[in-house]
Amino acid sequence: MLRVSKGKPNDGARPTMADVARELGVAKITVSRALSDHSTVKDSTRTLIRETAERMGYRLNVSARNLRQQRTRTIAVVIEMTPSHERLMSEPYPLLLLGGILQELTAAGQNMVLTTIDLFSQAPPSADGVILLGQGVHDDAAAVIEATGLPYVVWGAEHGPPERIVVGSDNREGGRLAAEYLLGRGCRRLLFLGDAEHGEAEDRLRGFEAGLASSDAIIAGNIPCAFTLTAGREAVGPLLDGQSLDFDGIFASSDAIAMGAIEALQARGHAVPGDVSVVGFDDSPGAALFSPRLTSIRQDWGVGGELLAQKVLDKVAGKAVASRAMPVALIVRES
């Protein structure tokens, strides 16, 4: 049931889509779909939303509509992550994805404008379509992009509505490969490190669980942490205060997390892989340079970037487009 509020929108400023959503107690994406005649919105709901928007003085984003009619030959690439001194834009993710995107867009005679989700939500750039790198927790970033009405594709996991086009790696298979490898090394008490609130990490965890299901091994700890080296170090550190280790294997949902975990183990005198075997995810360029050289699940960001660009251009052109889960591979090294 829709809830109608009588509060004043936006402190007297020009009302936004978010104000209409707040007035009715519905999601912003529901308002967006109703105003663009999306088939998933019931007629009664669509009518109420349109009447409320008109009463509040909301005006549809005409610029977005015009952009679909008059092409800018520009694609907006929106990065969901917030850059920090621990997670830089110059790291393999998102840089390798951006390289693939730019190569494909340039070959197609298209421009690219790069921004973050925070800046995009404040002032969307003029573009024909959008590529979103990372869905955010509970798909919140994807909802912001979808609300613009522009054609878009996402790098991540297929956790949203079926019509959303997603390019990503086969994260469940990656988790299964990690489990198979650690079991083969004799590991039986395992840790999973990563934030399963993110769709990709959740799929990696589910695949890991499935890979262990028919064995006598257990996940002794499931520790949420950010995709950084510092987070991996801090996730494992508190587990090393006892006289002996309570785990013998780690599957980290990124290479950076894995490297941080190894640093924490080595700082306490534990050998990797002698005492604990570690598998990362990404096969980032640093994996082969780390000590010990990191065993990792490889995903091809460069090809992923090219696919994202191809699919968003096809969507802009009105062509039928399908999601794509790219194959992954276990790269065995020393850890």
Side-chain angles (χ1 to χ4, degrees):
M1 179 179 294
L2 297 180
R3 171 181 58 80
V4 179
S5 165
K6 298 302 181 183
K8 292 183 178 180
N10 212 16
D11 294 328
R14 188 174 185 178
T16 65
M17 193 178 295
D19 293 322
V20 177
R22 192 178 305 112
E23 178 82 359
L24 292 170
V26 299
K28 183 178 175 181
I29 188 60
T30 303
V31 175
S32 173
R33 288 171 173 169
L35 295 178
S36 58
D37 287 326
H38 201 285
S39 60
T40 59
V41 182
K42 294 190 300 183
D43 289 342
S44 58
T45 300
R46 183 185 299 108
T47 298
L48 179 56
I49 288 175
R50 285 181 171 275
E51 290 176 348
T52 302
E54 185 175 354
R55 171 175 58 81
M56 294 175 66
Y58 172 78
R59 294 293 179 267
L60 191 62
N61 187 341
V62 177
S63 62
R65 182 183 62 199
N66 287 344
L67 286 176
R68 289 192 291 272
Q69 299 168 348
Q70 298 179 345
R71 301 282 171 78
T72 65
R73 300 193 67 79
T74 298
I75 298 297
V77 179
V78 182
I79 300 179
E80 178 271 333
M81 63 177 270
T82 301
S84 69
H85 69 280
E86 293 180 353
R87 199 173 185 204
L88 305 174
M89 287 290 190
S90 57
E91 290 186 353
Y93 175 87
L95 198 58
L96 294 179
L97 271 172
L98 291 172
I101 292 169
L102 184 57
Q103 179 171 313
E104 193 67 24
L105 291 181
T106 301
Q110 301 285 320
N111 298 306
M112 182 181 87
V113 57
L114 180 64
T115 186
T116 65
I117 190 65
D118 289 340
L119 293 174
F120 183 92
S121 62
Q122 296 171 30
S126 297
D128 297 329
V130 181
I131 296 172
L132 173 63
L133 303 185
Q135 293 148 294
V137 176
H138 302 307
D139 256 6
D140 54 356
V144 170
I145 303 301
E146 188 170 343
T148 66
L150 290 168
Y152 75 102
V153 297
V154 180
W155 170 264
E158 293 184 59
H159 281 210
E163 66 270 16
R164 178 178 297 159
I165 302 304
V166 179
V167 174
S169 297
D170 190 341
N171 294 293
R172 287 179 181 258
E173 174 63 6
R176 189 196 66 78
L177 289 173
E180 181 179 79
Y181 174 76
L182 290 170
L183 288 174
R185 291 192 59 84
C187 302
R188 290 300 180 268
R189 293 185 60 82
L190 304 164
L191 300 182
F192 176 81
L193 307 181
D195 185 358
E197 295 291 321
H198 289 265
E200 290 169 285
E202 179 184 353
D203 284 354
R204 291 166 195 175
L205 173 58
R206 298 296 168 247
F208 191 54
E209 292 171 334
L212 300 176
S214 60
S215 74
D216 59 348
I218 65 168
I219 297 179
N222 178 356
I223 306 174
C225 63
F227 295 94
T228 66
L229 188 145
T230 299
R233 188 188 304 123
E234 292 176 348
V236 171
L239 305 179
L240 306 178
D241 294 334
Q243 295 298 314
S244 60
L245 287 173
D246 190 37
F247 57 93
D248 55 12
I250 293 175
F251 174 39
S253 56
S254 79
D255 285 352
I257 295 172
M259 293 174 190
I262 291 173
E263 285 189 355
L265 286 162
Q266 292 175 330
R268 297 295 186 92
H270 299 294
V272 177
D275 298 322
V276 181
S277 293
V278 180
V279 178
F281 200 109
D282 292 332
D283 191 33
S284 58
L289 304 175
F290 194 72
S291 182
R293 294 187 306 138
L294 183 64
T295 294
S296 183
I297 306 299
R298 172 177 291 171
Q299 59 175 342
D300 196 328
W301 281 316
V303 171
E306 293 172 7
L307 286 170
L308 286 165
Q310 292 166 9
K311 289 181 181 295
V312 78
L313 291 177
D314 283 346
K315 286 201 73 174
V316 169
K319 299 178 181 178
V321 182
S323 293
R324 171 78 178 274
M326 300 189 303
V328 296
L330 174 70
I331 307 301
V332 178
R333 296 192 179 95
E334 298 170 349
S335 67

